[in-house]
Amino acid sequence: MSGAQARLSQVKDILTFNKTATTIPFDPDCTKFPNRKDVPRRADAPRDAAWVWGEDDQVISSSFSCSAPLTSDQLGRINLLTPTRVKAASAEIKTGETISLKCALAPRIWLPWANCNSLPLTEPGTPCFHRETFKHEIKDLAEGKAFDDLYTLNTQSGTQWDGFRHVSNLATGTFYNNTHAADIIGPEANLKDSVHHWNGHGGLVGRGVLLDYLAYADKKGVQYDSFIDHRIPYEELYLCGKDQGIDIRPQAQGGDIKIGDILFIRSGFVVKYHEVKSSEEWAKVALRPHAIGPDDQQRWAGVAQEEKMLDWLHDCYFAAVAGDSPSFEAWPSNRVLSP
């Protein structure tokens, strides 16, 4: 943004009682943020990387626990979950009911009527992408009078949040905010971008927005297989939201999405999973050959890799996004890797 544009933005802010983010580091308490095409870029960032919260975490002390920084390179868009926004979200609570994103920890029962909206730690019994299976053991400490629980878990084998150290920008090998493999493994390994920083900030607490694409598709007669890379375009999500009474455009563009909202998209993986008749049948799906690139045979439904989708996900300023499929985006990617 040029100096003249920045001054014009300041004048508009005064007249409209807004606070616009114009320079890095962004203040999470701003009420207006730039669209994807207008975001200032850091010289050390890969193309399209929105590293806007600062290079270090020594900025402003937070009112949250553990003296966590309010704006920090450890949090990304989680910075948007400010006390003001969390409090505003709580005002929208109607019934006080809570819904877990997981079912209870229990073995899989292969019955045609067994169903739930998510999966326990033990599921899938054969994880996707050839990952290790979950193991739970009970250790007897005092002959039936005291017990410990022992868990062996690949956090990617079931329901989980992806951290910033999970997958890099593949073209450059760079993780979020200029983190590298040497920060994660090896003699110089450290806790940069570790997910424990999220807990220090207070966890992920905010206003959730659910787009039930599966229900919309069923209603409109759209047939697809969630075990195949069905790509859900922005236009379909827009119509899905409209059918639910939600304008999925950001508030800045006249829609209902607020800065810091947490997005959930239901594309139907869990329903399809519970239709599988046996563990052997599921294993045939889960153990399909896996390789990085368009020839990957691990194929799952999700949002389309398209410019409109990227613009929408960016410009809404979601704090986080989640889905019910092994990958949030349709897998494998159909985009060409480039720096």
Side-chain angles (χ1 to χ4, degrees), residues 125-204:
T126 302
C128 306
F129 300 106
H130 298 250
R131 291 188 167 109
E132 295 83 359
T133 58
F134 171 81
K135 296 179 181 179
H136 175 213
E137 301 174 68
I138 297 177
K139 181 179 179 180
D140 192 337
L141 298 177
E143 297 184 357
K145 295 182 173 61
F147 302 94
D148 276 352
D149 290 281
L150 305 178
Y151 298 98
T152 302
L153 172 68
N154 180 333
T155 57
Q156 293 289 327
S157 67
T159 304
Q160 37 75 32
W161 289 99
D162 281 349
F164 297 137
R165 295 152 62 110
H166 179 44
V167 177
S168 69
N169 174 278
L170 298 181
T172 64
T174 306
F175 294 82
Y176 174 68
N177 219 357
N178 213 21
T179 299
H180 298 276
D183 294 306
I184 301 172
I185 57 174
E188 302 299 322
N190 52 70
L191 296 179
K192 185 177 181 181
D193 279 352
S194 170
V195 294
H196 80 282
H197 295 291
W198 304 0
N199 184 64
H201 182 70
L204 274 66

Coordinates of all heavy atoms in Angstrom, one line a residue, residues 125-204:
G125 N -9.4 -47.5 11.8 CA -8.6 -48.6 12.3 C -7.3 -48.7 11.5 O -6.2 -49.0 12.0
T126 N -7.5 -48.6 10.2 CA -6.3 -48.5 9.2 C -6.3 -47.0 8.8 O -7.1 -46.6 8.0 CB -6.5 -49.4 8.0 OG1 -6.6 -50.7 8.4 CG2 -5.3 -49.3 7.1
P127 N -5.3 -46.2 9.3 CA -5.3 -44.8 9.0 C -5.0 -44.5 7.5 O -4.4 -45.4 6.8 CB -4.2 -44.2 9.9 CG -4.0 -45.2 10.9 CD -4.3 -46.6 10.3
C128 N -5.5 -43.4 7.0 CA -5.2 -43.0 5.6 C -3.7 -42.6 5.5 O -3.0 -42.4 6.5 CB -6.0 -41.8 5.2 SG -7.8 -42.1 5.5
F129 N -3.2 -42.6 4.3 CA -1.9 -42.2 4.0 C -0.8 -43.0 4.6 O 0.3 -42.6 4.9 CB -1.6 -40.7 4.3 CG -2.5 -39.7 3.6 CD1 -3.6 -39.1 4.3 CD2 -2.3 -39.4 2.3 CE1 -4.4 -38.2 3.6 CE2 -3.2 -38.5 1.6 CZ -4.2 -37.9 2.3
H130 N -1.2 -44.3 4.9 CA -0.2 -45.3 5.4 C 0.4 -44.9 6.8 O 1.5 -45.2 7.1 CB 0.9 -45.6 4.4 CG 0.4 -46.1 3.1 ND1 0.6 -47.4 2.7 CD2 -0.4 -45.6 2.1 CE1 0.0 -47.6 1.5 NE2 -0.6 -46.5 1.2
R131 N -0.4 -44.2 7.6 CA 0.1 -43.8 8.9 C -0.1 -44.9 10.0 O -0.8 -45.9 9.8 CB -0.6 -42.5 9.4 CG -0.1 -41.3 8.5 CD -0.6 -40.0 9.1 NE 0.0 -38.9 8.4 CZ -0.6 -38.1 7.6 NH1 -1.9 -38.2 7.3 NH2 0.1 -37.1 7.1
E132 N 0.6 -44.8 11.1 CA 0.6 -45.8 12.1 C -0.8 -45.8 12.8 O -1.4 -44.8 12.9 CB 1.7 -45.5 13.2 CG 3.1 -45.5 12.7 CD 3.6 -44.3 12.0 OE1 2.8 -43.3 11.9 OE2 4.7 -44.2 11.5
T133 N -1.1 -47.0 13.3 CA -2.4 -47.1 14.0 C -2.3 -46.7 15.4 O -1.3 -46.8 16.0 CB -2.9 -48.6 13.9 OG1 -1.9 -49.4 14.5 CG2 -3.1 -49.0 12.5
F134 N -3.4 -46.3 16.0 CA -3.5 -45.9 17.4 C -3.5 -47.1 18.3 O -4.1 -48.1 17.9 CB -4.8 -45.1 17.6 CG -5.2 -44.8 19.0 CD1 -4.5 -43.8 19.7 CD2 -6.1 -45.6 19.7 CE1 -4.8 -43.5 21.0 CE2 -6.4 -45.3 21.0 CZ -5.8 -44.3 21.6
K135 N -2.8 -47.0 19.4 CA -2.8 -48.2 20.3 C -3.1 -47.6 21.7 O -2.5 -46.6 22.2 CB -1.4 -48.8 20.3 CG -1.0 -49.5 19.0 CD 0.3 -50.1 19.0 CE 0.7 -50.7 17.7 NZ 2.1 -51.3 17.7
H136 N -3.9 -48.4 22.4 CA -4.3 -48.0 23.8 C -4.1 -49.2 24.7 O -4.7 -50.3 24.4 CB -5.8 -47.6 23.8 CG -6.3 -47.3 25.2 ND1 -7.6 -47.6 25.6 CD2 -5.6 -46.9 26.3 CE1 -7.7 -47.2 26.9 NE2 -6.5 -46.8 27.4
E137 N -3.3 -49.1 25.7 CA -3.0 -50.2 26.6 C -3.4 -49.7 28.1 O -3.2 -48.5 28.4 CB -1.6 -50.6 26.6 CG -1.1 -51.1 25.3 CD 0.4 -51.4 25.3 OE1 0.8 -52.3 25.9 OE2 1.2 -50.6 24.6
I138 N -3.8 -50.6 28.9 CA -4.1 -50.3 30.3 C -3.1 -51.1 31.1 O -2.9 -52.3 31.1 CB -5.5 -50.7 30.7 CG1 -6.5 -50.0 29.9 CG2 -5.7 -50.5 32.2 CD1 -8.0 -50.3 30.2
K139 N -2.4 -50.3 31.9 CA -1.3 -50.8 32.8 C -1.8 -51.0 34.2 O -2.3 -50.1 34.8 CB -0.1 -49.9 32.8 CG 1.1 -50.4 33.6 CD 2.2 -49.4 33.5 CE 3.4 -49.9 34.4 NZ 4.5 -48.9 34.3
D140 N -1.7 -52.2 34.7 CA -2.2 -52.5 36.1 C -1.1 -52.2 37.0 O 0.0 -52.7 37.0 CB -2.5 -54.0 36.2 CG -3.3 -54.4 37.5 OD1 -3.1 -53.6 38.4 OD2 -4.0 -55.4 37.5
L141 N -1.4 -51.2 37.9 CA -0.4 -50.7 38.8 C -0.4 -51.4 40.2 O 0.7 -51.5 40.8 CB -0.6 -49.2 39.1 CG -0.4 -48.3 37.9 CD1 -0.7 -46.8 38.3 CD2 1.0 -48.4 37.3
A142 N -1.5 -51.8 40.6 CA -1.6 -52.4 42.0 C -2.7 -53.5 42.0 O -3.7 -53.4 42.8 CB -1.9 -51.3 43.0
E143 N -2.5 -54.5 41.2 CA -3.4 -55.7 41.2 C -4.9 -55.4 41.2 O -5.5 -55.7 42.2 CB -3.0 -56.6 42.3 CG -1.5 -57.2 42.2 CD -1.2 -58.1 43.3 OE1 -2.1 -58.4 44.2 OE2 -0.1 -58.7 43.3
G144 N -5.3 -54.6 40.2 CA -6.7 -54.4 40.1 C -7.2 -53.2 40.9 O -8.4 -52.9 40.9
K145 N -6.3 -52.5 41.6 CA -6.7 -51.3 42.4 C -6.3 -50.0 41.9 O -6.8 -48.9 42.3 CB -6.2 -51.5 43.8 CG -6.7 -52.7 44.6 CD -6.2 -52.8 46.0 CE -6.9 -53.9 46.8 NZ -6.7 -55.2 46.2
A146 N -5.4 -50.0 40.9 CA -5.0 -48.7 40.3 C -4.5 -49.0 38.9 O -3.8 -50.1 38.6 CB -3.9 -48.0 41.1
F147 N -4.7 -48.1 38.0 CA -4.4 -48.3 36.6 C -3.8 -47.0 35.9 O -4.1 -45.9 36.3 CB -5.6 -48.8 35.7 CG -6.2 -50.0 36.3 CD1 -7.3 -49.9 37.2 CD2 -5.8 -51.3 35.9 CE1 -7.9 -51.1 37.6 CE2 -6.4 -52.4 36.4 CZ -7.4 -52.3 37.2
D148 N -3.0 -47.2 34.9 CA -2.5 -46.1 34.0 C -3.0 -46.5 32.6 O -3.2 -47.6 32.3 CB -1.0 -46.0 34.0 CG -0.4 -45.2 35.1 OD1 -1.3 -44.6 35.9 OD2 0.8 -45.2 35.3
D149 N -3.2 -45.4 31.8 CA -3.5 -45.6 30.4 C -2.2 -45.3 29.6 O -1.6 -44.2 29.8 CB -4.6 -44.7 30.0 CG -5.9 -45.1 30.5 OD1 -6.5 -46.0 30.0 OD2 -6.4 -44.5 31.5
L150 N -1.9 -46.1 28.6 CA -0.7 -45.9 27.8 C -1.2 -45.8 26.3 O -2.0 -46.6 25.8 CB 0.2 -47.1 27.8 CG 0.7 -47.5 29.2 CD1 1.6 -48.8 29.1 CD2 1.5 -46.4 29.9
Y151 N -0.8 -44.7 25.7 CA -1.2 -44.4 24.3 C 0.0 -44.3 23.4 O 1.0 -43.7 23.7 CB -2.0 -43.0 24.3 CG -3.2 -43.0 25.1 CD1 -3.2 -42.4 26.4 CD2 -4.4 -43.5 24.6 CE1 -4.4 -42.4 27.1 CE2 -5.6 -43.5 25.4 CZ -5.6 -42.9 26.6 OH -6.7 -42.9 27.4
T152 N -0.1 -44.9 22.2 CA 0.8 -44.7 21.1 C 0.0 -44.1 20.0 O -0.9 -44.7 19.5 CB 1.5 -46.0 20.7 OG1 2.1 -46.6 21.8 CG2 2.5 -45.8 19.6
L153 N 0.4 -42.9 19.6 CA -0.5 -42.1 18.7 C 0.3 -41.3 17.7 O 1.2 -40.5 18.0 CB -1.4 -41.2 19.5 CG -2.2 -40.2 18.8 CD1 -3.3 -40.9 18.0 CD2 -2.9 -39.2 19.7
N154 N 0.0 -41.5 16.4 CA 0.4 -40.6 15.4 C -0.8 -39.6 15.3 O -1.9 -40.0 14.9 CB 0.6 -41.3 14.0 CG 1.0 -40.3 12.9 OD1 0.6 -39.1 12.9 ND2 1.6 -40.8 11.9
T155 N -0.6 -38.4 15.6 CA -1.7 -37.4 15.7 C -2.4 -37.2 14.4 O -3.5 -36.7 14.3 CB -1.2 -36.0 16.2 OG1 -0.1 -35.5 15.4 CG2 -0.6 -36.2 17.6
Q156 N -1.8 -37.6 13.3 CA -2.4 -37.5 12.0 C -3.2 -38.7 11.6 O -3.8 -38.7 10.5 CB -1.3 -37.3 10.9 CG -0.5 -36.0 11.0 CD -1.4 -34.8 10.7 OE1 -2.2 -34.8 9.8 NE2 -1.1 -33.6 11.3
S157 N -3.3 -39.7 12.4 CA -4.0 -40.9 12.1 C -5.5 -40.8 12.2 O -6.3 -41.7 11.8 CB -3.5 -42.0 12.9 OG -3.9 -41.9 14.3
G158 N -6.0 -39.7 12.8 CA -7.5 -39.5 13.0 C -7.8 -38.1 13.1 O -7.2 -37.2 12.5
T159 N -8.9 -37.7 13.9 CA -9.3 -36.4 14.0 C -8.2 -35.5 14.7 O -7.7 -35.9 15.7 CB -10.6 -36.3 14.9 OG1 -11.6 -37.1 14.3 CG2 -11.1 -34.9 15.0
Q160 N -7.8 -34.4 14.1 CA -6.7 -33.6 14.6 C -6.7 -32.2 13.9 O -7.4 -32.0 12.9 CB -5.4 -34.3 14.3 CG -5.3 -35.0 13.0 CD -5.1 -34.2 11.8 OE1 -4.5 -33.1 11.9 NE2 -5.5 -34.6 10.7
W161 N -6.0 -31.3 14.5 CA -5.7 -30.0 13.8 C -4.3 -30.1 13.2 O -3.3 -30.6 13.9 CB -5.7 -28.9 14.8 CG -7.0 -28.5 15.4 CD1 -7.6 -28.9 16.5 CD2 -8.0 -27.7 14.7 NE1 -8.8 -28.4 16.7 CE2 -9.1 -27.6 15.6 CE3 -8.1 -27.0 13.5 CZ2 -10.3 -26.9 15.2 CZ3 -9.2 -26.3 13.2 CH2 -10.3 -26.2 14.0
D162 N -4.1 -29.7 12.0 CA -2.7 -29.6 11.4 C -2.0 -28.4 12.0 O -2.5 -27.3 12.0 CB -2.8 -29.4 9.9 CG -3.1 -30.7 9.2 OD1 -3.1 -31.7 9.8 OD2 -3.4 -30.6 8.0
G163 N -0.8 -28.6 12.4 CA 0.0 -27.5 12.9 C 0.9 -26.9 11.8 O 0.9 -27.4 10.7
F164 N 1.5 -25.8 12.1 CA 2.3 -25.1 11.1 C 3.6 -25.9 10.7 O 4.2 -25.5 9.7 CB 2.7 -23.7 11.6 CG 1.6 -22.8 11.9 CD1 1.5 -22.0 13.0 CD2 0.5 -22.7 11.0 CE1 0.5 -21.2 13.3 CE2 -0.6 -21.9 11.3 CZ -0.6 -21.1 12.4
R165 N 4.0 -26.9 11.5 CA 5.1 -27.7 11.1 C 4.8 -28.9 10.4 O 5.7 -29.8 10.2 CB 5.9 -28.0 12.5 CG 6.4 -26.9 13.2 CD 6.5 -27.1 14.7 NE 7.4 -28.2 15.1 CZ 8.6 -28.1 15.8 NH1 9.0 -26.8 16.0 NH2 9.3 -29.1 16.1
H166 N 3.6 -29.1 10.0 CA 3.1 -30.3 9.3 C 3.6 -30.4 7.9 O 4.3 -31.4 7.5 CB 1.6 -30.4 9.4 CG 1.0 -31.7 8.8 ND1 1.6 -32.9 8.9 CD2 0.0 -31.8 7.9 CE1 0.9 -33.8 8.2 NE2 -0.1 -33.2 7.6
V167 N 3.3 -29.5 7.1 CA 3.6 -29.5 5.6 C 4.2 -28.1 5.3 O 3.6 -27.1 5.6 CB 2.4 -29.9 4.7 CG1 2.8 -29.8 3.3 CG2 1.9 -31.3 5.1
S168 N 5.3 -28.1 4.5 CA 5.9 -26.9 4.1 C 5.3 -26.4 2.8 O 4.5 -27.1 2.1 CB 7.4 -27.1 3.9 OG 7.7 -27.9 2.8
N169 N 5.7 -25.2 2.4 CA 5.6 -24.8 1.0 C 6.5 -25.7 0.2 O 7.7 -25.6 0.3 CB 5.9 -23.3 0.8 CG 5.9 -22.9 -0.6 OD1 6.9 -23.1 -1.4 ND2 4.9 -22.2 -1.0
L170 N 5.9 -26.7 -0.5 CA 6.7 -27.8 -1.1 C 7.7 -27.3 -2.1 O 8.8 -27.9 -2.3 CB 5.8 -28.8 -1.7 CG 4.9 -29.5 -0.8 CD1 4.0 -30.6 -1.5 CD2 5.6 -30.2 0.4
A171 N 7.4 -26.2 -2.8 CA 8.4 -25.6 -3.8 C 9.6 -25.1 -3.2 O 10.7 -25.1 -3.8 CB 7.7 -24.6 -4.6
T172 N 9.5 -24.6 -1.9 CA 10.7 -24.0 -1.3 C 11.2 -24.7 0.0 O 12.3 -24.4 0.5 CB 10.4 -22.5 -0.9 OG1 9.3 -22.5 0.1 CG2 9.9 -21.7 -2.1
G173 N 10.4 -25.7 0.5 CA 10.7 -26.3 1.7 C 10.6 -25.5 3.0 O 11.2 -25.8 4.0
T174 N 9.9 -24.3 2.9 CA 9.8 -23.4 3.9 C 8.4 -23.6 4.6 O 7.4 -23.6 4.0 CB 9.9 -21.9 3.4 OG1 11.1 -21.8 2.7 CG2 9.9 -21.0 4.6
F175 N 8.5 -23.6 6.0 CA 7.2 -23.7 6.7 C 6.8 -22.3 7.1 O 7.5 -21.3 6.8 CB 7.5 -24.5 8.0 CG 7.7 -26.0 7.7 CD1 9.0 -26.4 7.4 CD2 6.7 -26.9 7.8 CE1 9.3 -27.8 7.1 CE2 6.9 -28.3 7.5 CZ 8.2 -28.7 7.2
Y176 N 5.7 -22.2 7.8 CA 5.1 -20.9 8.2 C 6.2 -20.0 8.8 O 6.9 -20.4 9.7 CB 3.9 -21.1 9.1 CG 3.4 -19.8 9.6 CD1 2.8 -18.9 8.7 CD2 3.5 -19.4 10.9 CE1 2.3 -17.6 9.2 CE2 3.0 -18.2 11.4 CZ 2.4 -17.3 10.5 OH 2.0 -16.1 11.0
N177 N 6.2 -18.7 8.4 CA 7.0 -17.7 9.0 C 8.5 -18.0 9.0 O 9.2 -17.8 10.0 CB 6.5 -17.3 10.4 CG 6.6 -15.8 10.6 OD1 7.0 -15.0 9.7 ND2 6.1 -15.4 11.8
N178 N 8.9 -18.6 7.9 CA 10.4 -18.8 7.7 C 10.9 -19.9 8.6 O 12.1 -19.8 9.0 CB 11.2 -17.5 7.8 CG 12.4 -17.5 6.9 OD1 12.4 -18.3 5.9 ND2 13.3 -16.7 7.1
T179 N 10.1 -20.8 9.0 CA 10.6 -22.0 9.8 C 11.1 -23.0 8.8 O 10.5 -23.2 7.7 CB 9.4 -22.5 10.6 OG1 9.0 -21.5 11.5 CG2 9.8 -23.8 11.4
H180 N 12.1 -23.7 9.2 CA 12.8 -24.7 8.3 C 12.9 -26.1 9.0 O 12.7 -26.2 10.2 CB 14.1 -24.2 7.8 CG 14.1 -22.9 7.1 ND1 13.8 -22.9 5.7 CD2 14.3 -21.7 7.5 CE1 13.8 -21.6 5.3 NE2 14.1 -20.9 6.4
A181 N 13.2 -27.1 8.2 CA 13.3 -28.4 8.8 C 14.3 -28.5 9.9 O 14.1 -29.2 10.9 CB 13.8 -29.4 7.7
A182 N 15.4 -27.6 9.9 CA 16.4 -27.6 11.0 C 15.8 -27.1 12.3 O 16.3 -27.4 13.4 CB 17.5 -26.7 10.6
D183 N 14.6 -26.4 12.2 CA 14.0 -26.0 13.4 C 13.1 -27.1 14.1 O 12.7 -27.0 15.2 CB 13.0 -24.8 13.1 CG 13.8 -23.5 12.7 OD1 14.7 -23.1 13.5 OD2 13.5 -23.0 11.6
I184 N 12.9 -28.1 13.3 CA 12.0 -29.2 13.7 C 12.7 -30.5 14.1 O 12.4 -31.1 15.1 CB 11.0 -29.5 12.6 CG1 10.2 -28.2 12.2 CG2 10.0 -30.6 12.9 CD1 9.3 -28.3 11.0
I185 N 13.7 -30.9 13.3 CA 14.5 -32.0 13.7 C 16.0 -31.7 13.6 O 16.4 -30.8 12.9 CB 14.2 -33.2 12.7 CG1 14.4 -32.8 11.3 CG2 12.8 -33.7 12.9 CD1 14.3 -34.0 10.3
G186 N 16.9 -32.5 14.3 CA 18.3 -32.2 14.2 C 18.8 -31.5 15.4 O 18.1 -31.2 16.3
P187 N 20.1 -31.2 15.5 CA 20.8 -30.7 16.6 C 20.3 -29.3 17.0 O 20.4 -28.8 18.1 CB 22.3 -30.7 16.3 CG 22.3 -30.7 14.8 CD 21.1 -31.5 14.4
E188 N 19.7 -28.5 16.0 CA 19.3 -27.2 16.3 C 17.8 -27.1 16.4 O 17.2 -26.0 16.4 CB 19.7 -26.2 15.1 CG 21.2 -26.2 14.9 CD 22.0 -25.7 16.1 OE1 21.5 -24.8 16.8 OE2 23.1 -26.2 16.4
A189 N 17.1 -28.2 16.6 CA 15.7 -28.2 16.7 C 15.2 -27.4 17.9 O 15.8 -27.3 18.9 CB 15.2 -29.7 16.9
N190 N 14.0 -26.7 17.7 CA 13.5 -25.9 18.7 C 11.9 -26.0 18.6 O 11.4 -26.8 17.9 CB 13.9 -24.4 18.5 CG 13.7 -24.0 17.1 OD1 12.5 -23.8 16.6 ND2 14.8 -23.8 16.3
L191 N 11.3 -25.1 19.4 CA 9.8 -25.1 19.4 C 9.1 -24.1 18.6 O 7.9 -23.8 18.7 CB 9.3 -25.0 20.9 CG 9.8 -26.1 21.8 CD1 9.3 -25.8 23.3 CD2 9.2 -27.5 21.4
K192 N 9.8 -23.5 17.6 CA 9.2 -22.6 16.7 C 8.0 -23.2 16.0 O 8.2 -24.3 15.4 CB 10.2 -22.0 15.7 CG 9.7 -20.9 14.9 CD 10.8 -20.3 13.9 CE 10.3 -19.2 13.1 NZ 11.3 -18.7 12.2
D193 N 6.9 -22.5 16.0 CA 5.7 -22.9 15.3 C 5.0 -24.2 15.9 O 4.1 -24.8 15.3 CB 5.9 -23.2 13.8 CG 5.9 -21.9 13.0 OD1 5.6 -20.9 13.6 OD2 6.3 -22.0 11.8
S194 N 5.5 -24.6 17.1 CA 4.8 -25.8 17.7 C 3.4 -25.5 18.1 O 3.1 -24.3 18.5 CB 5.7 -26.2 19.0 OG 5.0 -27.2 19.7
V195 N 2.5 -26.5 18.1 CA 1.1 -26.3 18.4 C 0.9 -25.9 19.9 O -0.2 -25.4 20.2 CB 0.3 -27.5 18.0 CG1 0.3 -27.7 16.5 CG2 0.7 -28.7 18.7
H196 N 1.9 -26.2 20.7 CA 1.6 -25.9 22.1 C 1.4 -24.4 22.3 O 0.8 -23.9 23.3 CB 2.8 -26.4 23.0 CG 4.0 -25.5 23.0 ND1 4.9 -25.5 22.0 CD2 4.4 -24.6 24.0 CE1 5.9 -24.6 22.3 NE2 5.6 -24.1 23.5
H197 N 1.9 -23.5 21.4 CA 1.7 -22.1 21.5 C 0.2 -21.8 21.4 O -0.2 -20.8 22.0 CB 2.5 -21.4 20.4 CG 4.0 -21.5 20.5 ND1 4.7 -20.9 21.5 CD2 4.9 -22.1 19.7 CE1 6.0 -21.2 21.4 NE2 6.1 -21.9 20.3
W198 N -0.6 -22.6 20.7 CA -2.0 -22.3 20.6 C -2.6 -22.4 22.0 O -3.5 -21.6 22.3 CB -2.6 -23.3 19.6 CG -2.1 -23.4 18.3 CD1 -1.0 -22.7 17.7 CD2 -2.5 -24.3 17.2 NE1 -0.8 -23.0 16.4 CE2 -1.7 -24.0 16.1 CE3 -3.5 -25.2 17.1 CZ2 -1.8 -24.7 14.9 CZ3 -3.7 -25.9 15.9 CH2 -2.8 -25.6 14.8
N199 N -2.2 -23.4 22.7 CA -2.8 -23.6 24.1 C -2.4 -22.4 25.0 O -3.2 -21.9 25.8 CB -2.3 -24.9 24.7 CG -2.9 -25.2 26.0 OD1 -4.1 -25.4 26.2 ND2 -2.1 -25.2 27.1
G200 N -1.2 -21.9 24.8 CA -0.8 -20.7 25.6 C -1.6 -19.5 25.3 O -1.8 -18.6 26.1
H201 N -2.2 -19.5 24.1 CA -3.0 -18.3 23.7 C -4.4 -18.5 24.2 O -5.2 -17.5 24.2 CB -3.0 -18.2 22.1 CG -3.8 -17.1 21.6 ND1 -3.4 -15.8 21.7 CD2 -5.0 -17.1 21.0 CE1 -4.3 -15.0 21.1 NE2 -5.3 -15.7 20.7
G202 N -4.8 -19.7 24.7 CA -6.1 -19.9 25.2 C -6.9 -20.9 24.4 O -8.1 -21.0 24.6
G203 N -6.2 -21.6 23.4 CA -6.9 -22.6 22.6 C -7.7 -21.9 21.5 O -7.6 -20.7 21.2
L204 N -8.5 -22.7 20.8 CA -9.3 -22.3 19.7 C -10.7 -22.1 20.1 O -11.5 -23.1 20.2 CB -9.2 -23.2 18.5 CG -8.1 -23.0 17.5 CD1 -6.7 -23.3 18.2 CD2 -8.2 -23.9 16.3

